[in-house]
Amino acid sequence: MSLEEMFGDDTAPFRTVYETAQAVINDYMTLHNCKIEKVAEQLGTTRGYLYGTLDPNQTHRPLSVDRVIEITNLTGDTRIIDSIKEASKVSDIWKECSITDIMMAGLKIQSHTGSLSETLFEAVKDGEIDEKEGERIRRMAMDEITALYSIIGMTK
């Protein structure tokens, strides 16, 4: 079961950073009339590795800060950094919270994460996630995301 199947049309907030990176690379290729192989070469990597880096589903090849800086230096386009800055604004709200609020928020998220991890472990034991298990995982993941967003919103 893919992330898209599990979460439907709901996209994770970090996806916008990856989508922005893809747009920056695409615009650069259009501007310079070149292909992804040329961009990868200019960044000192391979086409396949660059593709993987720009794909948020390939967590074994995350879009690193170093790669973002390299892409920004190559293209002269700061949109990826701006996107990261926008996505990280959430961290500023924690300055307004008491230590008790932060501890309780952490415990609430850990509670959801532990339950979800246990459910995932049980679901994959037989090597297959059936429809019922997939729906339970999706519901639990969405509950965790909802809890996180409610915690983020508690200072607003």
Side-chain angles (χ1 to χ4, degrees), residues 22-36 39:
Q22 293 166 11
V24 166
I25 294 291
N26 188 51
D27 292 350
Y28 180 82
M29 290 186 318
T30 301
L31 180 67
H32 294 280
N33 193 28
C34 64
K35 296 190 182 234
I36 192 80
V39 177

Side-chain angles (χ1 to χ4, degrees), residues 51-139:
Y51 269 130
T53 302
L54 297 173
D55 180 355
N57 296 321
Q58 292 196 33
T59 56
H60 62 289
R61 293 183 189 166
L63 181 60
S64 68
V65 173
D66 291 340
R67 182 63 72 201
V68 168
I69 292 169
E70 291 169 354
I71 292 170
T72 302
N73 285 337
L74 174 66
T75 63
D77 189 327
T78 62
R79 285 183 288 169
I80 307 170
I81 294 170
D82 296 339
S83 179
I84 293 169
K85 183 179 175 186
E86 189 63 33
S88 68
K89 284 184 179 178
V90 169
S91 64
D92 290 341
I93 68 167
W94 292 106
K95 294 175 187 172
E96 303 169 25
C97 297
S98 71
I99 191 68
T100 304
D101 289 338
I102 293 170
M103 287 175 22
M104 293 304 289
L107 290 171
K108 185 173 183 179
I109 293 299
Q110 283 181 329
S111 167
H112 282 282
T113 302
S115 297
L116 177 58
S117 295
E118 184 178 336
T119 300
L120 285 167
F121 178 78
E122 290 299 318
V124 299
K125 265 206 256 189
D126 64 0
E128 185 179 329
I129 298 177
D130 63 36
E131 191 174 323
K132 185 178 177 183
E133 291 169 327
E135 183 53 38
R136 183 164 185 227
I137 291 166
R138 182 179 196 284
R139 184 175 25 80

